[in-house]
Amino acid sequence: KSTSQFLASSSNSNVVTHHPSDPKTYAMLEGVNSIPESTLMNKDLKEWYEALRVTRDVLLRAIAMGLDMMSSSSSSDNNDALDHSPDYFVNLHNENNDAMRLLNYPPADENTGNRCKEHSDYGTLTLLLTDGVGGLEAYVDGAWRAVPYVEGGVVVNIGSILSEWTRQELKATLHRVAGPASVGIGSVSKEDLVGAVARARTSIAYFADPNGDVSTALKQGQM
C-alpha cells in the first residue's frame, strides 16, 4: 500500500520514472536516508528498508555457512580465519551500498508480453516483495517456471557478483514478469496470465551490492 501511494503521490514525481522499454513505473531509493520521514507512508518504507537490510545479513551469513566457510576460531592463521568467517560476506556489505526500487505495472490486455524483460541482477542478492499478482517466473532447468506467491514471504534472487564469488556454485537467477503473449510461458496457464495482466501489479525490489572497493572476483583462497 505504501509503495502504491508513494508512486502515485505528486510530491514524488521527481523520482518516479517510466521505464523506457517495460510497461511499468518505478522509483529508485538509494539508501534509507533518501526517504524523508514526512508522512506515515514514508516511515513505513523506511522500516521496510531497514528490515530488508537485516534480512540481507541473515541470508549472507546463512550462505557462508552453507558453503562450509570456517568459523574464525577454527583456524590458527588469523588472516585465513578472517577470510573464512561466517560473517565474511556480511562484512563485505557493511557500507550498506544498496537500493530499494518501488515498482508498479499498470493493467494491460491479452496481447501483453513481458511486463518486465528477462534478466538477472548485477549485485549479490535481490530481495523481492510482491502483492501476489501473478507473472513472476524464474528460468530453471531450461524452462520458465512460475514463482509461487507465499503471503508474507520474500523472494530471494542470486545476483551476478555473488555467482562469481562462489564460482557459479550459486547461479545468478534469470527471471522475468511474464504476460499472456510471452514466449515459453511456464507452469501458469495463459488464462491465468490474462487475469494477472488485467490487474495493476506492485512490488518492492531490494538490491544489495558489496562495498565499493570489493572486487567482483574474490582472490584464490578466499572461497
Side-chain angles (χ1 to χ4, degrees):
K1 183 177 178 180
S2 294
T3 295
S4 298
Q5 291 174 346
F6 185 97
L7 293 173
S9 174
S10 59
S11 62
N12 298 318
S13 59
N14 60 318
V15 295
V16 176
T17 302
H18 291 272
H19 195 275
S21 59
D22 295 338
K24 64 186 179 186
T25 57
Y26 67 91
M28 184 69 89
L29 307 175
E30 299 187 18
V32 172
N33 293 332
S34 68
I35 309 172
E37 289 191 4
S38 55
T39 65
L40 180 60
M41 165 189 68
N42 286 1
K43 290 179 181 178
D44 287 344
L45 291 174
K46 288 175 80 77
E47 288 180 5
W48 271 112
Y49 207 132
E50 294 284 9
L52 289 168
R53 277 184 174 171
V54 172
T55 305
R56 172 203 66 194
D57 288 351
V58 170
L59 289 169
L60 289 170
R61 192 172 289 111
I63 288 169
M65 295 175 68
L67 292 169
D68 248 354
M69 298 183 81
M70 299 159 52
S71 69
S72 57
S73 62
S74 63
S75 172
S76 59
D77 185 328
N78 288 335
N79 291 328
D80 188 59
L82 177 64
D83 283 353
H84 294 81
S85 163
D87 283 329
Y88 180 65
F89 291 141
V90 174
N91 293 335
L92 295 181
H93 292 74
N94 58 20
E95 293 178 359
N96 287 325
N97 185 17
D98 53 15
M100 189 169 77
R101 180 179 284 184
L102 313 179
L103 299 122
N104 177 263
Y105 304 80
D109 60 30
E110 63 184 10
N111 298 313
T112 301
N114 291 341
R115 300 174 92 178
C116 179
K117 63 180 179 293
E118 56 193 59
H119 67 286
S120 57
D121 297 323
Y122 169 75
T124 50
L125 289 176
T126 299
L127 309 181
L128 185 66
L129 308 172
T130 78
D131 59 2
V133 175
L136 181 63
E137 295 182 338
Y139 196 70
V140 181
D141 295 332
W144 288 104
R145 303 178 188 276
V147 177
Y149 172 70
V150 178
E151 186 173 0
V154 178
V155 177
V156 180
N157 288 340
I158 302 298
S160 298
I161 292 179
L162 185 57
S163 183
E164 288 297 314
W165 284 355
T166 63
R167 299 181 179 84
Q168 313 297 324
E169 186 167 347
L170 299 177
K171 293 179 172 56
T173 310
L174 185 63
H175 58 286
R176 69 181 184 179
V177 178
S182 294
V183 175
I185 292 173
S187 51
V188 175
S189 69
K190 182 174 180 178
E191 290 72 22
D192 286 339
L193 288 175
V194 169
V197 297
R199 301 166 59 191
R201 183 178 188 276
T202 302
S203 62
I204 296 175
Y206 170 84
F207 301 101
D209 288 321
N211 298 344
D213 62 349
V214 175
S215 171
T216 56
L218 299 184
K219 296 177 183 178
Q220 189 70 26
Q222 288 182 301
M223 270 293 302

